[in-house]
Amino acid sequence: MKKLLIQTAGCSPSSGYVRAHLEAQGISVTDTPSAEVTHLLLDVPSFEAGGKLRGGSDLKTLLHGLPENVSICGGGLDLGSLKEYNTVDLLKDPDYLANNAYITAEAALNIALPRLPCLLRDSKALILGWGRIGKCLAQLLKSMDATVIVAARNGHDRSILRALGYDAVDIPDLENILPNCRIVFNTVPQMLLPESSIKLCRGDCVKIDLASQPGMAGPGVIVARGLPGLHKPESSGKLIVQTLLHLIGKEITP
């Protein structure tokens, strides 16, 4: 058994899977703080927008009873209250971000498809943004024969998009595209489609905002954040454990 004792403090549906995956790797997991605990594992991301711990727990309470040299693991750990601790931030790991983006994209489709009254191959799907989630969404939608339109500010990105077989538009041209779209996914944490623009959409258009900050506002917009842990908890939990063990691998004694 690996000499590693982790206290988990997750509140999302993926927390149970995190525990199961850790134990399957021969790692001791506990809910009770003690001097033997080497790592405190929080949710990923770990904090709400206001700096409060997700789930409502108090960080000081969680740290009480743990050794001073305990490592804090989670996501978004650049907080002053943690500066004296060794932190392991999964949201700084490129492999985690890429795989989590794919899980997010698939979960977003799970939300959209039951609400779509027609086949994807008969649909135009608009994606705002060409980041990690946007790329994964575009690939999945294209594989399902949807007509994929991606809005990107960067002219180089639009050229690449067209070369890859996607339709590409600049942000100022969105109002010309919206009336013909059956699905709109936003991945940009900036208000690109205010209510005046959303009103241009069809009444049955499925509109899903995946960004960390609002990018769409208006009737029917579905705000969908934290999808991996909510909709794909097993895959999310497995990814958290795989990334965690990779990042702290040097600390583990076989």
Side-chain angles (χ1 to χ4, degrees):
M1 178 177 289
K2 298 180 177 67
K3 295 179 181 179
L4 184 66
L5 189 65
I6 293 181
Q7 180 181 2
T8 57
C11 63
S12 70
S14 62
S15 298
Y17 290 101
V18 168
R19 186 185 189 109
H21 284 302
L22 284 169
E23 291 175 339
Q25 294 294 321
I27 294 170
S28 299
V29 183
T30 181
D31 296 322
T32 305
S34 72
E36 296 180 344
V37 171
T38 59
H39 296 74
L40 172 62
L41 178 57
L42 306 173
D43 276 321
V44 184
S46 304
F47 296 90
E48 304 286 358
K52 293 184 178 180
L53 202 61
R54 286 182 66 192
S57 299
D58 180 69
L59 183 60
K60 290 184 179 180
T61 301
L62 285 175
L63 292 173
H64 181 70
L66 296 177
E68 293 183 358
N69 63 344
V70 67
S71 294
I72 312 298
C73 311
L77 303 180
D78 294 325
L79 298 177
S81 57
L82 296 177
K83 65 181 180 181
E84 297 180 359
Y85 291 90
N86 175 50
T87 57
V88 180
D89 197 328
L90 277 64
L91 291 180
K92 293 184 178 180
D93 182 74
D95 287 336
Y96 176 84
L97 292 173
N99 284 287
N100 195 60
Y102 185 88
I103 299 174
T104 300
E106 187 169 310
L109 283 181
N110 289 163
I111 294 173
L113 293 181
R115 294 171 168 82
L116 189 67
C118 61
L119 295 173
L120 268 177
R121 69 184 180 190
D122 297 329
S123 306
K124 288 187 177 181
L126 172 64
I127 301 169
L128 308 181
W130 187 235
R132 287 181 293 265
I133 297 174
K135 290 179 173 70
C136 292
L137 270 172
Q139 188 269 334
L140 286 170
L141 286 163
K142 187 177 181 182
S143 71
M144 299 175 76
D145 294 329
T147 298
V148 183
I149 308 166
V150 181
R153 284 195 176 93
N154 188 289
H156 174 74
D157 286 343
R158 293 196 298 275
S159 296
I160 292 293
L161 282 160
R162 295 187 186 102
L164 292 173
Y166 302 108
D167 292 340
V169 296
D170 199 352
I171 300 299
D173 298 327
L174 284 175
E175 293 191 354
N176 298 323
I177 301 297
L178 289 173
N180 298 317
C181 294
R182 304 303 298 265
I183 314 177
V184 179
F185 295 99
N186 176 60
T187 70
V188 181
Q190 178 183 347
M191 184 56 65
L192 297 181
L193 296 180
E195 186 168 352
S196 58
S197 297
I198 288 295
K199 288 181 177 179
L200 298 173
C201 295
R202 298 170 49 114
D204 59 357
C205 177
V206 181
K207 304 171 285 290
I208 300 179
D209 194 347
L210 300 168
S212 57
Q213 300 295 326
M216 299 192 290
V221 172
I222 300 169
V223 178
R225 301 191 180 104
L227 295 189
L230 292 173
H231 292 267
K232 303 291 183 182
E234 181 179 347
S235 296
S236 177
K238 183 178 180 180
L239 176 60
I240 288 172
V241 171
Q242 288 176 334
T243 307
L244 177 66
L245 296 184
H246 169 71
L247 293 176
I248 66 176
K250 295 181 181 179
E251 304 174 26
I252 301 174
T253 302

